[in-house]
Amino acid sequence: NAGVTQTPKFQVLKTGQSMTLQCAQDMNHEYMSWYRQDPGMGLRLIHYSVGAGITDQGEVPNGYNVSRSTTEDFPLRLLSAAPSQTSVYFCASSYNRGTDTQYFGPGTRLTVL
Amino acid sequence: DAKTTQPPSMDCAEGRAANLPCNHSTISGNEYVYWYRQIHSQGPQYIIHGLKNNETNEMASLIITEDRKSSTLILPHATLRDTAVYYCIVRVAYIQGAQKLVFGQGTRLTINP
């Protein structure tokens, strides 16, 4: 199993540009989520999904959209990038609505100029 | 959400036991304590979790006080590869029955040769 994969690893955007961060898992996990990590602030939950077709907001959802058309994929869309979205983004998955161990991807380092 | 308090940094000699403390005095009765670690800028890696009993696995031991207000992660024979940021996390129930991990600031553990 590849586990949780994320692409790209690094990305630089200009303010106002849009892009999609990709996340995929091959463990048939129901639950997938997106976190962002900023210096001195730990990880904060952006959006999560408890299964295909079901998504909801986390702690810091503004400026981000998600969808879950398949069990395997959970892309995160930045609609109009802002410098405040400069961060490292991690995707995670687990079997059962997050009650089991969550497995994290390697992260995407995003810089918005 | 229950919050955790950890020392910002600790040092430990290679081969010795590393004991990482965590306070979670506002934890609720059904909230689990999880420990993850993050090596360099990789995705967080699961270590261990518990509710009220002490737990042990191949990586570490988790000691939870009887009142559940604090816990200690023990790495029995620390190696240089254990140098990382260690997060003590309370898993809280979220909407739609999902769970989320509430990350704090973590403890930066340095293993010295």
Side-chain angles (χ1 to χ4, degrees):
Chain A
N1 286 351
V4 180
T5 58
Q6 292 182 237
T7 56
K9 291 186 178 178
F10 301 94
Q11 183 70 49
V12 179
L13 292 178
K14 294 182 180 178
T15 297
Q17 287 185 316
S18 63
M19 79 159 294
T20 299
L21 279 62
Q22 301 292 343
C23 174
Q25 52 90 11
D26 61 358
M27 298 174 282
N28 201 31
H29 285 171
E30 286 186 355
Y31 182 90
M32 297 184 73
S33 57
W34 278 100
Y35 290 84
R36 60 177 288 173
Q37 185 173 31
D38 303 297
M41 300 201 63
L43 279 78
R44 293 181 291 169
L45 183 65
I46 304 172
H47 283 284
Y48 68 96
S49 168
V50 298
I54 307 170
T55 65
D56 214 326
Q57 298 180 350
E59 302 168 275
V60 288
N62 292 340
Y64 308 95
N65 271 359
V66 292
S67 60
R68 185 95 179 271
S69 56
T70 67
T71 300
E72 294 78 19
D73 301 296
F74 190 44
L76 178 72
R77 297 182 187 84
L78 279 68
L79 309 172
S80 178
S84 61
Q85 294 178 305
T86 293
S87 188
V88 182
Y89 291 85
F90 291 102
C91 179
S93 74
S94 70
Y95 279 112
N96 184 20
R97 299 195 171 213
T99 56
D100 292 296
T101 300
Q102 293 198 30
Y103 296 88
F104 284 80
T108 294
R109 187 175 296 274
L110 175 68
T111 301
V112 183
L113 303 175
Chain B
D1 294 346
K3 292 184 179 177
T4 60
T5 304
Q6 300 176 253
S9 63
M10 292 182 64
D11 286 276
C12 180
E14 188 178 18
R16 305 295 295 269
N19 296 281
L20 289 84
C22 178
N23 286 322
H24 31 79
S25 58
T26 59
I27 194 170
S28 298
N30 61 349
E31 291 175 341
Y32 283 76
V33 178
Y34 276 70
W35 283 83
Y36 278 74
R37 72 181 182 183
Q38 191 171 23
I39 298 174
H40 298 302
S41 297
Q42 298 174 20
Q45 175 191 23
Y46 168 81
I47 302 172
I48 199 167
H49 75 281
L51 183 61
K52 50 186 174 181
N53 296 322
N54 297 338
E55 303 288 344
T56 296
N57 63 19
E58 64 278 3
M59 289 182 69
S61 295
L62 174 60
I63 309 297
I64 302 174
T65 58
E66 194 169 341
D67 62 8
R68 300 208 333 118
K69 293 181 184 292
S70 65
S71 60
T72 301
L73 176 74
I74 301 173
L75 307 178
H77 304 287
T79 71
L80 298 178
R81 287 179 296 180
D82 292 322
T83 293
V85 177
Y86 287 76
Y87 292 99
C88 171
I89 298 160
V90 173
R91 191 194 80 200
V92 302
Y94 211 50
I95 57 176
Q96 292 195 31
Q99 307 281 320
K100 68 172 180 177
L101 301 178
V102 181
F103 282 79
Q105 304 303 309
T107 295
R108 184 173 298 277
L109 175 67
T110 301
I111 306 301
N112 299 308

